[in-house]
């Protein structure tokens, strides 16, 4: 608020008799520790400003809500990866593994420490810590320990041993990587002087050098100097965005970050995406220099900050987990030429002229540096140009290469730009180009009649005219319905391409990654490439098509694609644009960074962050800050996401209130929005089986036309749903009506049952979707049993037809009648299919 507006407010308050402090004291007031921590940087004398990564780490770990949510050890799962910390990268790379854990007595126990442990059948023995981790089914931390036994203990475990002559102070390595709970670590033990390996039935004594290396302490132990160590991997994002409201012109290059250790549902919130820097005059590679320098320092030396979980100062090591960006930016950050190179893949050495449908040797940092050195050694510029195209790399100075990580493994395949804005757009353009005007009108009519109640995204506008200007959410919705809309207009080859693409889409947007299915999923990706090679060979020239072959490997390393998706970062671009639009635009890099920094400090204080003085935010200020309006203004959270605590948005709450009527007169919305009452339904010739349970037709009820389902979305009468019957049976159905009686909400649902073959296997349609049939059974179930909208599609036959209708339109201020094509479903056909390609 400026001084002029504040003066007006003070005038109003004084006229109301309110005691106010002096204007100068108000203008000079500052919240504690809210000075913007900006770093001034320059490139060719052009300034830009950056918020230090260490500042964001300090304020994240100082907040109790974030510190308690951060996962500090890799999490082992049985076969499902649902988070980034489930991926192989976190488990196999020592850069991300936490080197210590706190024991029950509060002491820090590091990896490679010699400890006393409780081992089954033996009691207390000696062990060497090798690794700490979590298990998804357990809350406690586990440790992999090398179990060392003395001769007496070894003879107890192996009675027929041949070890008779052995030094008394020697310990035998009996069990490598035994898994024990951290609570079974009793304390520290004296390291053994001699270690003997046991490989049944032989014994081998470690040399002095091997023993010294085996028992040497973890390098972080000396660096920590008695403090706990926290591993906090970082996710970076780079993109360009418009500085104007129109989303055009005045391009800003920007860098953001988030914490890889946060669970996905927390990391997806816009308030947990942190701004680093932006500029309209400096390229992203030049802006990455201060970021990469700080990341190198954070990985080698770390930063000491206050941890709200441990309630003490800790040493934080922050290695780079991955960089999320679109494909052109990924090539730029890797010194790759992109699609203009002969080896056009940034991940492998695939040659687009010979084997674009196959995987080749993977690129590595060492290989790239070797190729760059070869290019620099050439004498003429023409030779360098040819070698750049051959290798696909250029010898640009890259600050990111100083980071101690293989960058070629740090840029996973981003599905938004690769799948939706890439392959889906190519396929849609290829199909639409071969359709007549009549066919396009029919497709538009099919889209209008398609039930999208089970989708998170809706289709707007004329898809046949505007598909070239679609954005990601439009292509996401189209990818889920394309098979059912375009099916009648495709030839066999196009159908095969679209079917295999839909299966790849299903993999890319899965809720979890199943390790046991990885080879099968790789086969699906290969099938898509094979179908493209056969039926749409021009698509193989696109690098995005080839990148599909690397998708499953990226999911093995980083978990499901939603963990490294760019969609949540893309939504953050609007805040950068907003801060620029409402600034004076004289020094946008400084002003935007300054505002983000101040807001970040205020959020830290109001979330209970620890100040250097030991003070904390009071409950009154915290309640004001957590109000929906303040969260929307300060954190950029959409208002619809802040209304979830209100009573009308709770699961099972009926909405769209009607009138009080008898239950027999309750209007039901059947398939195709057909209307009928409960009494008429029971008296007609369809022989419905209505299971009202404890209710009677003469009961007085209050009707509703919608309700809030378990996943907090609105479901209207007549829409397809997933629900649980009163007998705890999971089913699909159509929500016919909602009513309340005696302060309890109930729903009438017409069941939809799966069709099975004689050997009890589900019957599939040509698109590999299970078929279902609308039953005559109507269930009465509590409203809280309505789980979510169901992605069901009416299985159309020849009886579903197009009809010409007349529609009034305003053209040049005159109302005229225009013909409109409408697709009419034959609702007497009770067959549906479950759209398995719909993602929730």
């Amino acid at each position: 608020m400026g001084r002029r507006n504040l003066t007006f407010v003070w005038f109003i308050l004084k006229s109301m008799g309110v005691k106010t402090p002096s204007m100068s004291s108000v203008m000079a007031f500052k919240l504690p520790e809210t000075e913007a921590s900006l770093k001034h940087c320059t490139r060719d004398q052009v300034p830009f400003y950056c918020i230090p990564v260490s500042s964001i780490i300090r304020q994240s770990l100082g907040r109790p809500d974030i510190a308690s949510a951060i996962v500090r050890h890799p999490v082992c799962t049985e076969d499902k990866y649902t988070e980034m910390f489930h991926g192989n990268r976190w488990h196999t790379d020592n850069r991300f593994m936490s080197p210590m854990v706190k024991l029950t007595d509060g002491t820090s126990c590091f990896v490679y420490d010699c400890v006393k442990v409780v081992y089954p059948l033996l009691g207390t023995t000696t062990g060497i810590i090798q690794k700490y981790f979590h298990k998804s089914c357990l809350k406690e931390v586990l440790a992999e320990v090398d179990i060392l036994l003395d001769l007496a203990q070894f003879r107890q475990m192996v009675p027929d041993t041949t070890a008779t002559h052995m030094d008394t102070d020697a310990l035998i390595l009996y069990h490598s990587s035994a898994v024990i709970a951290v609570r079974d670590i009793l304390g520290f033990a004296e390291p053994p002087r001699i270690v003997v390996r046991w490989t049944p039935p032989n014994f081998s004594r470690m040399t002095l050098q091997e023993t010294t290396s085996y028992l040497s302490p973890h390098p972080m132990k000396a660096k920590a100097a008695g403090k706990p160590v926290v591993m906090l991997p970082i996710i970076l994002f780079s993109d360009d965005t418009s500085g104007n409201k129109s989303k055009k012109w005045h391009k800003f290059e920007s860098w953001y970050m988030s914490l890889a250790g946060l669970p996905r549902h927390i990391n997806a919130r816009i308030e947990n995406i942190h701004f680093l820097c932006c500029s309209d005059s400096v390229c992203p590679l030049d802006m990455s220099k201060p970021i990469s320098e700080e990341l190198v320092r954070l990985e080698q030396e770390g930063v000491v900050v206050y941890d709200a979980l441990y309630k003490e100062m800790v040493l934080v090591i922050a290695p780079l987990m991955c960089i999320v960006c679109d494909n052109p930016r990924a090539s730029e950050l890797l010194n790759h030429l992109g699609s203009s190179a002969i080896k056009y893949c940034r991940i492998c050495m695939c040659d687009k002229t010979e084997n674009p449908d196959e995987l080749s040797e993977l690129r590595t940092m060492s290989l790239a540096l070797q190729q760059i050195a070869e290019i620099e050694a050439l004498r003429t510029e023409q030779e360098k140009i040819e070698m750049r195209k051959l290798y696909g790399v250029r010898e640009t100075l890259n600050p990111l290469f100083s980071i101690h990580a293989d960058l070629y493994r740090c840029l996973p395949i981003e599905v938004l730009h690769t799948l939706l804005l890439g392959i889906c757009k190519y396929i849609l353009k290829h199909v639409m180009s071969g359709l007549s005007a009549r066919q396009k009108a029919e497709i538009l009519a099919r889209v209008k009649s398609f039930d999208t109640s089970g989708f998170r995204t809706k289709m707007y506008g004329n898809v046949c005219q505007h598909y070239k200007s679609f954005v990601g959410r439009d292509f996401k919705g189209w990818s889920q319905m394309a098979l059912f809309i375009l099916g009648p207009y495709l030839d066999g080859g196009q159908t095969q391409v679209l079917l295999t693409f839909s299966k790849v889409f299903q993999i890319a947007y899965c809720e979890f990654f199943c390790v046991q299915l990885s080879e099968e999923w790789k086969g699906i990706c290969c099938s898509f490439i094979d179908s493209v090679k056969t039926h749409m060979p021009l698509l193989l020239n696109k690098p995005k098509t080839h990148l599909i072959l690397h998708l499953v490997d990226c999911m093995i390393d980083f978990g499901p694609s939603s963990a490294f998706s760019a969609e949540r970062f893309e939504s953050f671009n609007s805040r950068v644009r907003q801060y620029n639009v409402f600034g004076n635009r004289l020094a946008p890099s400084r002003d935007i960074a300054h505002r983000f920094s101040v807001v970040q400090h205020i959020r830290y204080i109001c979330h209970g962050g620890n100040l250097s003085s030991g003070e904390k935010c009071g409950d009154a200020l915290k309640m004001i800050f957590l109000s929906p309006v303040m969260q929307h203004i300060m954190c950029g959270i959409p208002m619809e996401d802040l209304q979830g605590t209100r009573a009308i948005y709770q699961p099972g709450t009926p909405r769209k209130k009607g009138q009080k009527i008898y239950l027999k007169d309750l209007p039901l919305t059947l398939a195709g929005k057909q209307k009928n009452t409960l009494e008429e339904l029971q008296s007609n010739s369809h022989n419905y089986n209505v299971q009202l349970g404890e209710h009677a037709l003469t009961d007085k009820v209050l009707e509703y036309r919608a309700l809030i389902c378990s996943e907090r979305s609105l479901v209207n009468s007549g829409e397809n749903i997933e629900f649980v019957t009163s007998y705890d049976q999971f089913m699909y159905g159509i929500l016919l009506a909602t009513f309340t009686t005696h302060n309890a909400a109930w729903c009438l649902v017409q069941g939809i049952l799966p069709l099975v073959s004689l050997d009890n296997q589900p019957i599939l349609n040509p698109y590999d979707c299970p078929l279902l049939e609308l039953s005559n059974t109507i269930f009465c179930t509590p409203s809280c049993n309505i789980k979510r909208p169901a992605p069901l599609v009416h299985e159309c036959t020849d009886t579903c037809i197009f009809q010409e209708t007349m529609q009034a339109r305003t053209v040049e201020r005159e109302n005229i009648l225009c013909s409109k094509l409408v697709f009419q479903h034959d609702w007497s056909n009770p067959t549906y299919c479950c759209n398995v390609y719909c993602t929730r």
Side-chain angles (χ1 to χ4, degrees):
M1 182 181 292
R3 187 182 184 91
R4 187 174 180 179
N5 293 333
L6 196 61
T7 304
F8 175 73
V9 173
W10 247 234
F11 170 76
I12 297 295
L13 292 175
K14 287 182 178 179
S15 63
M16 296 172 61
V18 179
K19 291 186 177 181
T20 58
S22 65
M23 181 67 67
S24 58
S25 64
V26 173
M27 296 298 293
F29 174 77
K30 290 183 180 180
L31 287 171
E33 300 184 17
T34 54
E35 288 295 330
S37 56
L38 299 183
K39 183 178 180 181
H40 176 265
C41 309
T42 58
R43 173 61 179 172
D44 294 335
Q45 298 182 349
V46 178
F48 66 95
Y49 292 80
C50 180
I51 298 178
V53 177
S54 56
S55 171
I56 296 171
I57 291 174
R58 180 176 291 107
Q59 295 181 355
S60 297
L61 275 181
R63 284 175 50 178
D65 56 333
I66 298 297
S68 59
I70 291 174
V71 175
R72 300 169 184 243
H73 303 280
V75 179
C76 293
T77 61
E78 296 298 330
D79 61 341
K80 294 181 180 178
Y81 293 175
T82 58
E83 305 283 355
M84 181 172 283
F85 43 77
H86 293 161
N88 282 4
R89 189 85 187 279
W90 208 304
H91 290 265
T92 58
D93 196 331
N94 291 329
R95 296 169 54 244
F96 308 113
M97 295 184 187
S98 180
M100 58 75 60
V101 75
K102 280 188 160 260
L103 301 181
T104 53
D105 60 357
T107 58
S108 298
C109 183
F110 280 79
V111 171
Y112 307 143
D113 278 354
C114 186
V115 294
K116 297 176 183 178
V117 298
V118 177
Y119 190 70
L121 303 178
L122 277 179
T124 303
T125 186
T126 304
I128 305 295
I129 305 294
Q130 298 298 316
K131 176 183 176 182
Y132 291 112
F133 65 97
H134 274 289
K135 259 201 168 177
S136 56
C137 55
L138 300 174
K139 292 185 178 180
E140 60 182 344
V141 182
L142 303 177
E144 285 186 3
V145 183
D146 286 354
I147 302 299
L148 303 177
L149 307 180
D150 59 27
L151 187 57
Q153 291 173 325
F154 185 77
R155 285 173 177 170
Q156 181 181 344
M157 297 300 294
V158 188
D160 56 346
T161 179
T162 59
T164 55
H165 303 289
M166 196 171 293
D167 295 334
T168 56
D169 57 351
L171 293 183
I172 302 171
L173 179 54
Y174 170 72
H175 188 177
S176 296
S177 302
V179 177
I180 65 169
V182 168
R183 55 182 163 79
D184 290 332
I185 301 176
L186 304 180
F188 297 99
E190 189 69 23
R193 190 174 62 86
I194 302 172
V195 179
V196 178
R197 296 190 187 93
W198 177 54
T199 307
N202 301 317
F203 296 88
S204 61
R205 177 171 172 169
M206 288 187 182
T207 64
L208 180 60
Q209 183 178 359
E210 290 174 336
T211 304
T212 303
S213 175
Y214 181 66
L215 299 176
S216 60
H218 195 281
M220 285 296 172
K221 189 171 184 177
K223 195 175 294 185
K227 300 182 186 68
V229 177
V230 175
M231 284 290 181
L232 205 61
I234 299 298
I235 301 174
L236 291 180
F237 174 79
S238 179
D239 194 18
D240 54 2
T241 184
S242 168
N244 296 342
K245 279 187 176 182
S246 63
K247 296 187 180 180
K248 292 182 179 179
W249 329 120
H250 200 188
K251 183 175 70 171
F252 274 78
E253 303 289 356
S254 56
W255 283 89
Y256 316 142
M257 66 160 280
S258 66
L259 304 179
L262 286 174
R264 199 169 36 151
H265 69 282
I266 298 177
N267 221 349
R269 298 173 188 166
I270 196 167
E271 66 266 28
N272 290 324
I273 299 173
H274 306 283
F275 175 88
L276 291 179
C277 60
C278 74
S279 176
D280 57 349
S281 306
V282 183
C283 73
L285 265 182
D286 292 335
M287 278 198 297
S288 71
K289 184 176 181 180
I291 299 173
S292 57
E293 288 175 350
E294 188 175 15
L295 287 178
V296 171
R297 186 171 62 254
L298 286 173
E299 183 171 357
Q300 292 181 344
E301 303 172 9
V303 59
V304 177
V305 302
Y306 177 81
D307 189 344
L309 181 65
Y310 289 155
K311 293 183 173 54
E312 62 177 311
M313 303 301 288
V314 299
L315 175 66
V316 175
I317 305 298
L320 175 66
M321 172 61 73
C322 65
I323 303 176
V324 179
C325 53
D326 57 27
N327 293 294
R329 178 59 50 84
S331 295
E332 182 180 359
L333 299 182
L334 292 175
N335 281 19
H336 185 255
L337 287 181
S339 58
S340 62
I342 296 176
K343 293 182 171 56
Y344 65 167
C345 177
R346 70 172 190 267
I347 297 180
C348 73
M349 299 292 291
C350 169
D351 191 321
K352 67 179 179 181
T353 61
E354 296 180 1
N355 55 348
D357 57 333
E358 298 177 4
L359 294 176
S360 299
E361 176 190 0
L362 294 180
R363 294 180 184 269
T364 62
M365 184 66 74
S366 58
L367 177 62
L369 293 176
Q370 178 185 342
Q371 292 171 344
I372 290 174
E374 290 182 20
I375 296 174
E376 290 176 340
L378 297 175
R379 295 182 178 180
T380 65
E381 183 62 25
Q382 185 61 35
E383 290 177 333
K384 291 183 178 181
I385 292 174
E386 293 177 359
M387 193 61 71
R388 288 177 195 138
K389 288 186 178 181
L390 178 62
Y391 286 151
V393 296
R394 52 176 168 242
E395 62 276 24
T396 310
L397 182 63
N398 193 333
L400 292 173
F401 280 8
S402 62
I403 298 177
H404 299 290
D406 190 343
L407 281 186
Y408 287 89
R409 291 193 61 198
C410 292
L411 279 88
I413 304 302
E414 205 287 305
V415 295
L416 169 64
H417 298 90
T418 303
L419 215 64
L420 302 182
L421 298 175
I423 300 173
C424 182
K425 189 173 184 177
Y426 303 152
I427 295 176
L428 189 57
K429 181 179 179 180
H430 183 275
V431 172
M432 288 294 180
S433 62
L435 298 178
S436 64
R438 170 68 185 188
Q439 289 175 326
K440 291 181 179 179
E442 291 181 357
I443 287 174
L444 183 59
R446 286 180 177 271
V447 171
K448 295 292 184 183
S449 67
F450 195 85
D451 182 9
T452 59
S453 58
F455 290 20
R456 286 191 183 274
T457 54
K458 308 298 181 185
M459 294 295 297
Y460 302 100
N462 190 331
V463 62
C464 301
Q465 291 182 1
H466 305 141
Y467 66 89
K468 293 181 180 179
S469 58
F470 273 7
V471 294
R473 66 173 178 268
D474 300 317
F475 283 117
K476 190 172 184 179
W478 185 251
S479 298
Q480 299 170 71
M481 67 168 69
L483 271 174
F484 308 97
I485 300 295
L486 295 177
Y489 309 97
L490 303 178
D491 57 34
Q494 293 174 333
T495 302
Q496 181 64 23
V497 171
L498 196 54
L499 177 60
T500 52
F501 169 78
S502 298
K503 293 181 178 180
V504 172
F505 174 85
Q506 184 184 18
I507 293 172
Y509 282 93
C510 62
E511 285 295 317
F512 58 85
F513 175 74
C514 188
V515 182
Q516 296 177 350
L517 298 178
S518 58
E519 292 302 321
E520 179 182 341
W521 287 8
K522 287 182 180 180
I524 291 174
C525 294
C526 292
S527 298
F528 168 70
I529 298 297
D530 291 340
S531 62
V532 168
K533 182 180 180 180
T534 305
H535 305 292
M536 297 183 185
L538 290 179
L539 265 62
L540 279 182
N541 295 329
K542 308 288 186 178
K544 294 179 181 180
T545 306
H546 170 82
L547 286 175
I548 294 298
L549 294 173
H550 298 282
L551 176 62
V552 176
D553 288 328
C554 292
M555 297 173 74
I556 292 174
D557 282 344
F558 298 101
S561 62
S562 54
F564 52 88
S565 171
E567 294 175 15
R568 59 192 176 97
F569 291 105
E570 293 277 356
S571 64
F572 192 79
N573 284 340
S574 60
R575 296 199 67 198
V576 177
R577 185 162 52 247
Q578 177 188 10
Y579 283 2
N580 181 63
V581 167
F582 293 102
N584 60 18
R585 308 197 190 190
L586 297 179
S589 178
R590 182 194 62 195
D591 294 342
I592 294 172
H594 181 273
R595 185 166 181 182
F596 271 111
S597 181
V598 171
V599 169
Q600 175 182 307
H601 279 74
I602 295 175
R603 284 167 49 192
Y604 171 72
I605 294 173
C606 295
H607 275 102
N610 187 69
L611 301 178
S612 59
S613 60
E615 297 177 320
K616 287 191 176 182
C617 172
D619 293 337
L621 181 59
K622 189 182 294 185
M623 288 184 63
I624 294 174
F625 180 77
L626 294 178
S627 63
V629 174
M630 291 299 295
Q631 288 288 295
H632 177 65
I633 295 173
M634 299 293 293
C635 303
I637 306 174
M639 286 300 295
E640 55 268 22
D641 295 344
L642 296 167
Q643 303 294 331
T645 56
R646 296 180 59 186
I648 60 173
Y649 295 107
Q650 300 309 306
T653 305
R655 301 289 298 277
K656 299 184 180 179
K657 186 177 178 181
Q659 57 184 344
K660 277 194 173 183
I661 54 177
Y662 290 106
L663 185 58
K664 64 178 182 179
D665 298 324
L666 184 68
L668 307 180
T669 306
L670 305 175
K673 310 299 180 184
Q674 304 172 71
K675 299 289 184 179
N676 219 329
T677 65
L678 190 58
E679 186 177 36
E680 293 171 346
L681 201 67
Q682 285 189 308
S683 62
N684 66 14
S685 59
H686 288 291
N687 194 22
Y688 283 92
N689 175 23
V690 182
Q691 300 178 2
L692 292 179
E694 60 188 35
H695 304 288
L697 292 176
T698 55
D699 290 347
K700 271 276 189 178
V701 300
L702 181 60
E703 67 160 321
Y704 290 85
R705 296 187 298 278
L707 63 86
I708 302 296
C709 65
S710 296
E711 68 168 22
R712 297 179 182 268
S713 58
L714 185 71
V715 179
N716 295 292
S717 296
E719 292 183 349
N720 303 318
I721 57 168
E722 299 175 17
F723 74 105
V724 178
T725 66
S726 301
Y727 308 105
D728 294 332
Q729 180 184 4
F730 178 85
M731 289 184 63
Y732 292 112
I734 299 176
L735 180 64
L736 302 182
T738 304
F739 65 91
T740 59
T741 176
H742 306 301
N743 295 324
W746 297 82
C747 297
L748 293 178
V749 183
Q750 185 175 0
I752 301 178
L753 304 176
L755 293 177
V756 295
S757 60
L758 296 177
D759 55 353
N760 206 29
Q761 296 297 317
I763 300 176
L764 306 178
N765 70 356
Y767 306 138
D768 295 336
C769 296
L771 293 176
L772 307 102
E773 187 175 44
L774 187 65
S775 71
N776 289 334
T777 304
I778 296 178
F779 300 89
C780 184
T781 185
S783 62
C784 59
N785 285 352
I786 308 301
K787 298 304 178 184
R788 62 185 65 85
L792 304 184
V793 180
H794 185 248
E795 193 73 8
C796 293
T797 60
D798 294 338
T799 55
C800 299
I801 58 174
F802 293 95
Q803 290 184 349
E804 292 277 355
T805 60
M806 303 304 292
Q807 182 183 26
R809 292 180 60 188
T810 302
V811 179
E812 295 182 356
R813 301 183 183 181
E814 293 185 9
N815 291 329
I816 60 174
L817 291 177
C818 300
S819 63
K820 180 183 177 182
L821 201 62
V822 177
F823 186 68
Q824 294 286 350
H825 290 276
D826 179 15
W827 297 111
S828 62
N829 172 23
T831 308
Y832 291 76
C833 73
C834 179
N835 185 0
V836 297
Y837 309 113
C838 180
T839 61
R840 299 299 300 168

